[in-house]
Amino acid sequence: MFERLIKNIILTYLSDNNLISPPIIFLTKHSTCSQLLETVNDWSIALRNDHVVDVVYFDFAKAFDTVSHVKLKLISKLQAYGIDGTLLSITTDFLTDRSQRVVLRSGTSAFSKVVSGVRQGSVLGPLLFLLYINDITDLFPGHVSIKLFADDIKFIWKLAIYLMLLFSKIALTLFVNGLRCGS
C-alpha cells in the first residue's frame, strides 16, 4: 500500500509538470495487449498512407538488476526530474542499503549487499526503471515513435534513413547507463 502511494505521488508530480514521456503507457493501467493494439494501429495508418515502417525492438538483459546504485545514477535522474526532500529520501531508502541471501532446505547463504537493481515484483520497480531509461526518448524528435513497456522498447519510424542514427544513439545511451541488450 505504501509503495502504491509513493508511486502515485511520483506519477502525479511527473504528470503535473509534463516530465514524463507519453510512451510510458503501462503506468496508466494499460497492458502489453493494449500497447500491441496501439502499435498495430500506428503501423496500419502508416501503411495505409504508403509509408515504409521500420521497427526495432530492444529487450534489456537483466534490466531491473542493472540500474546503478553504486554511482546513484537513478537517484541523480530523480533529482533531475525535481524529485527531492522526503520523497527522494523515501525512494533512496527503498533502493539502497539492502541485502539478500539464498535459503534452501539444505542451508542458508550469508547475506550479500545489493548494489544495483530495482525490486522486481514491486509496485515502484517498473516506474523507477522507466524513469531511469526515459531520457532515451529525448534522442529522437519527429519521425520516431517510441513505445516503452517495462524492460522493452519499440522504436518505430517511417523513414529508413534514421536506422544507423538510431542504433548509434541507442548504443551510446545504453553504454552511458550501464545497460546491455539480451542476445
Side-chain angles (χ1 to χ4, degrees):
M1 187 63 138
F2 187 68
E3 267 189 86
R4 197 171 312 282
L5 175 66
I6 297 302
K7 175 187 171 187
N8 289 339
I9 291 170
I10 292 173
L11 280 174
T12 299
Y13 168 79
L14 294 170
S15 178
D16 289 351
N17 292 287
N18 296 317
L19 297 173
I20 198 164
S21 296
I24 301 184
I25 64 166
F26 101 99
L27 298 173
T28 55
K29 299 183 182 175
H30 287 78
S31 66
T32 54
C33 187
S34 61
Q35 187 192 49
L36 178 60
L37 289 171
E38 180 183 320
T39 301
V40 170
N41 182 61
D42 292 349
W43 296 344
S44 298
I45 291 169
L47 293 172
R48 188 175 330 123
N49 292 320
D50 295 322
H51 292 124
V52 174
V53 177
D54 295 309
V55 182
V56 175
Y57 288 88
F58 286 90
D59 179 60
F60 293 107
K62 300 186 184 217
F64 291 92
D65 297 331
T66 57
V67 175
S68 172
H69 293 179
V70 176
K71 296 179 183 175
L72 297 177
K73 286 183 183 178
L74 177 57
I75 302 304
S76 297
K77 287 189 177 198
L78 293 174
Q79 289 173 318
Y81 282 114
I83 295 171
D84 57 10
T86 304
L87 186 56
L88 183 65
S89 294
I90 290 170
T91 307
T92 302
D93 289 345
F94 177 79
L95 293 169
T96 57
D97 297 324
R98 296 180 320 169
S99 59
Q100 65 184 15
R101 69 180 179 169
V102 177
V103 178
L104 301 171
R105 286 184 209 175
S106 59
T108 303
S109 71
F111 278 98
S112 177
K113 185 174 175 137
V114 176
V115 295
S116 67
V118 293
R119 295 179 187 177
Q120 295 182 42
S122 68
V123 172
L124 270 177
L127 170 61
L128 294 175
F129 179 75
L130 287 174
L131 291 175
Y132 187 69
I133 65 165
N134 188 50
D135 54 355
I136 202 165
T137 62
D138 298 337
L139 299 174
F140 304 100
H143 302 288
V144 179
S145 172
I146 302 170
K147 310 280 187 195
L148 301 174
F149 193 91
D151 64 344
D152 298 317
I153 300 179
K154 279 191 227 35
F155 293 92
I156 306 161
W157 65 100
K158 298 174 189 168
L159 301 173
I161 194 165
Y162 288 100
L163 184 60
M164 291 311 294
L165 176 62
L166 174 75
F167 284 131
S168 62
K169 285 183 175 183
I170 291 168
L172 178 62
T173 301
L174 296 178
F175 176 77
V176 167
N177 287 306
L179 297 170
R180 62 181 181 81
C181 289
S183 53

